[in-house]
């Protein structure tokens, strides 16, 4: 269940859609800072959109495959995802993220065309230093009023990281910390400037980090701008 970089265009419900791929890296990879940093500004200007106007038009369900190599229980994974969805939903007037679709099956990230399922899973990611990756399908060009997001698929790199609750063990890559970040992409946010180190949507994370569980001023301004 890998996500590869590269441009993709497909037809979805009679509309031409494209994919945007977002990689969440460890510090020191992909031109990032040598460490997790700190002391960056936390202001309402610290956000970036995938594309102005590109957002969900309706509340969307999702499907989860909690299978992992680190012994995380089904409840741990699913409760974490649900909690982090509420973190974003609590900032806006309607729910962006809906309920889990228990009748659907995760069959891997959709790199060729969307399949009408928002899928969340663990897997292998070949891009070096990548903690997690999300592919977002949507209409990102043309008049902003006609832009929208139609699907997301999310993969957490299982072989290269030890996932868990970093409040209990700082050697863990904190699951909720990273989920909250990836959900920001799923709802239409991009990575902000590298000076915005305190934002949930800051592009880099490290073992033991938990601050991305809580949204900062830029994250809140970003979701509200959509």
């Amino acid at each position: 269940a890998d996500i590869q970089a590269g441009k993709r265009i497909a037809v979805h419900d009679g509309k031409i859609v494209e994919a945007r791929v977002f990689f969440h890296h460890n510090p020191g990879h992909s031109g990032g800072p040598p460490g997790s940093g700190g002391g960056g500004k936390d202001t309402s200007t610290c956000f970036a959109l995938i594309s102005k106007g590109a957002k969900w038009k309706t509340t969307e369900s999702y499907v989860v495959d909690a299978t992992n190599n680190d012994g995380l229980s089904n409840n741990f994974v699913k409760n974490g995802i649900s909690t982090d969805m509420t973190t974003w939903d609590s900032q806006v007037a309607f729910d962006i993220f809906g309920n889990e679709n228990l009748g659907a099956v995760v069959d891997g990230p959709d790199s060729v065309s969307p399949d009408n399922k928002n899928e969340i899973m663990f897997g292998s990611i070949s891009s070096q230093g990548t903690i997690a990756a999300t592919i977002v399908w949507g209409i990102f060009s043309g008049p902003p009023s006609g832009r929208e997001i139609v699907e997301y698929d999310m993969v957490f790199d299982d072989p290269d990281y030890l996932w868990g609750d970093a409040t209990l063990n700082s050697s863990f890559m904190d699951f909720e910390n990273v989920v909250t970040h990836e959900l920001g992409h799923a709802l239409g946010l991009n990575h902000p400037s590298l000076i915005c180190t305190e934002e949930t949507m800051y592009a880099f994370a490290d073992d033991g980090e938990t601050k991305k569980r809580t949204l900062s001023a830029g994250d809140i301004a970003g979701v509200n701008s959509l």
Side-chain angles (χ1 to χ4, degrees), residues 149-164:
I149 295 173
V150 301
E151 185 178 309
Y152 64 86
D153 292 317
M154 192 179 300
V155 179
F156 301 91
D157 190 282
D158 208 6
D160 299 319
Y161 299 94
L162 180 61
W163 293 93

Side-chain angles (χ1 to χ4, degrees), residues 120-131:
I120 303 174
M121 71 207 82
F122 291 85
S124 176
I125 301 175
S126 58
S127 176
Q128 187 178 15
T130 300
I131 303 163

Side-chain angles (χ1 to χ4, degrees), residues 29-224:
H29 291 277
S30 188
S36 57
K41 69 177 184 177
D42 179 7
T43 75
S44 60
T45 61
C46 270
F47 72 87
L49 307 179
I50 295 178
S51 178
K52 183 179 180 181
K55 60 184 179 180
W56 286 101
K57 299 297 179 71
T58 60
T59 300
E60 284 284 316
S61 64
Y62 62 97
V63 57
V64 179
D65 184 347
T67 305
N68 65 89
N69 295 328
D70 297 325
L72 303 180
S73 71
N74 192 64
N75 284 341
F76 176 90
V77 172
K78 293 191 175 188
N79 288 343
I81 292 168
S82 178
T83 296
D84 299 333
M85 287 179 169
T86 300
T87 296
W88 286 106
D89 282 339
S90 66
Q91 299 298 328
V92 289
F94 70 97
D95 286 345
I96 303 165
F97 302 106
N99 297 321
E100 181 185 359
N101 181 355
L102 298 175
V105 176
V106 170
D107 54 16
D110 301 305
S111 59
V112 176
S113 62
D115 65 355
N116 294 310
K117 292 187 295 185
N118 301 307
E119 302 176 64
I120 303 174
M121 71 207 82
F122 291 85
S124 176
I125 301 175
S126 58
S127 176
Q128 187 178 15
T130 300
I131 303 163
T134 298
I135 182 169
V136 182
W137 286 94
I139 300 171
F140 302 121
S141 59
S145 61
R147 300 175 190 176
E148 63 178 312
I149 295 173
V150 301
E151 185 178 309
Y152 64 86
D153 292 317
M154 192 179 300
V155 179
F156 301 91
D157 190 282
D158 208 6
D160 299 319
Y161 299 94
L162 180 61
W163 293 93
D165 181 350
T167 65
L168 303 177
N169 186 333
S170 62
S171 67
F172 289 153
M173 181 62 68
D174 190 73
F175 183 62
E176 284 197 43
N177 189 70
V178 180
V179 170
T180 310
H181 175 95
E182 297 306 317
L183 289 172
H185 292 312
L187 61 82
L189 296 180
N190 206 331
H191 295 136
S193 164
L194 287 178
I195 65 173
C196 300
T197 60
E198 301 308 299
E199 306 302 318
T200 293
M201 295 312 297
Y202 179 64
F204 301 88
D206 213 341
D207 296 331
E209 181 187 276
T210 60
K211 65 184 178 182
K212 287 185 173 67
R213 292 185 180 191
T214 304
L215 304 182
S216 291
D219 305 309
I220 295 169
V223 68
N224 276 282

